[in-house]
């Protein structure tokens, strides 16, 4: 029998962020995947964060702790023009103020620029988004006009969302009503 050594490995960092691309509007999130121990030509993969492994005394094991990029945060700039009522925008059931930059996990989100209903006794109108531009960092741009503004936005890279506000719909009270 050959004498054996052992290693007791405990991974303390199970997740973390890579901020090396933060200045470009991307933060990558990583989660623990596995521990790989290679002794000579034999490789063992352990899916747990604590490992007790044995190997021959004179061997030189190579231990790798592996992580997987499970999602990214993207920088989203929110811009509005003619937003005279100071309305926010709703992205994924969260309201955000224009003139800010937020970090959102990549994915599909509901999207709703908030409108204002202006009413007096004889007439009224809604004041809301009349144009929306989704400008992505790769140069792709999508422009939508009222009433065809989508109720969702796909966030898969840094982007700017620009909303132009104006009068959407007018109404007038019917005579005798």
């Amino acid at each position: 029998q050959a004498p054996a050594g052992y290693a007791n490995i405990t991974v303390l960092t199970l997740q973390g962020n890579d901020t090396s691309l933060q200045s470009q509007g991307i933060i990558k999130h990583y989660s623990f995947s596995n521990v790989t121990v290679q002794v000579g030509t034999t490789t063992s993969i352990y899916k747990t964060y604590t490992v007790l492994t044995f190997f021959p005394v004179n061997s030189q094991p190579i231990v790798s702790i592996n992580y997987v990029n499970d999602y990214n945060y993207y920088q989203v700039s929110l811009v509005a023009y003619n937003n005279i009522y100071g309305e926010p925008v709703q992205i994924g059931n969260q309201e955000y103020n224009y003139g800010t930059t937020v970090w959102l996990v990549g994915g599909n989100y509901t999207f709703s620029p908030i409108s204002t209903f202006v009413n007096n006794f004889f007439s009224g109108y809604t004041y809301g988004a009349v144009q929306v531009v989704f400008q992505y960092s790769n140069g792709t741009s999508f422009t939508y006009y009222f009433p065809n503004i989508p109720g969702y936005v796909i966030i898969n890279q840094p982007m700017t969302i620009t909303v132009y506000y104006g009068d959407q719909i007018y109404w007038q009270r019917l005579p005798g009503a």
Side-chain angles (χ1 to χ4, degrees):
Q1 289 187 346
Y6 74 94
N8 185 358
I9 302 163
T10 302
V11 179
L12 299 177
T13 304
L14 299 180
Q15 61 180 336
N17 292 327
D18 173 3
T19 58
S20 62
L21 297 174
Q22 185 171 354
S23 64
Q24 297 171 39
I26 302 169
I27 297 176
K28 295 182 177 185
H29 183 271
Y30 288 87
S31 292
F32 171 77
S33 176
N34 61 55
V35 174
T36 303
V37 179
Q38 181 180 344
V39 180
T41 59
T42 303
T43 300
S44 300
I45 299 174
Y46 303 92
K47 296 281 186 179
T48 67
Y49 59 90
T50 57
V51 174
L52 178 62
T53 183
F54 296 90
F55 45 84
V57 171
N58 293 329
S59 63
Q60 296 180 349
I62 298 171
V63 176
S64 300
I65 300 171
N66 302 299
Y67 295 84
V68 62
N69 176 211
D70 49 356
Y71 60 87
N72 296 328
Y73 296 94
Y74 296 106
Q75 193 172 36
V76 179
S77 297
L78 305 172
V79 178
Y81 292 99
N82 303 320
N83 187 9
I84 61 175
Y85 295 102
E87 295 291 4
V89 61
Q90 188 176 46
I91 301 174
N93 297 323
Q94 178 71 40
E95 287 187 0
Y96 299 97
N97 291 322
Y98 293 104
T100 61
T101 299
V102 297
W103 289 91
L104 297 175
V105 173
N108 298 342
Y109 289 87
T110 58
F111 173 77
S112 178
I114 306 299
S115 298
T116 300
F117 181 70
V118 180
N119 180 24
N120 65 37
F121 187 72
F122 296 105
S123 65
Y125 62 95
T126 57
Y127 192 85
V130 293
Q131 180 182 350
V132 171
V133 180
F134 297 148
Q135 177 69 52
Y136 291 90
S137 62
N138 68 358
T140 304
S141 180
F142 298 95
T143 301
Y144 303 93
Y145 297 93
F146 180 81
N148 298 315
I149 294 172
Y152 68 93
V153 59
I154 298 170
I155 298 173
N156 58 12
Q157 59 188 287
M159 66 183 301
T160 299
I161 298 174
T162 304
V163 178
Y164 296 86
Y165 278 81
D167 297 343
Q168 292 175 321
I169 299 173
Y170 288 93
W171 64 269
Q172 188 167 4
R173 185 176 177 189
L174 295 173

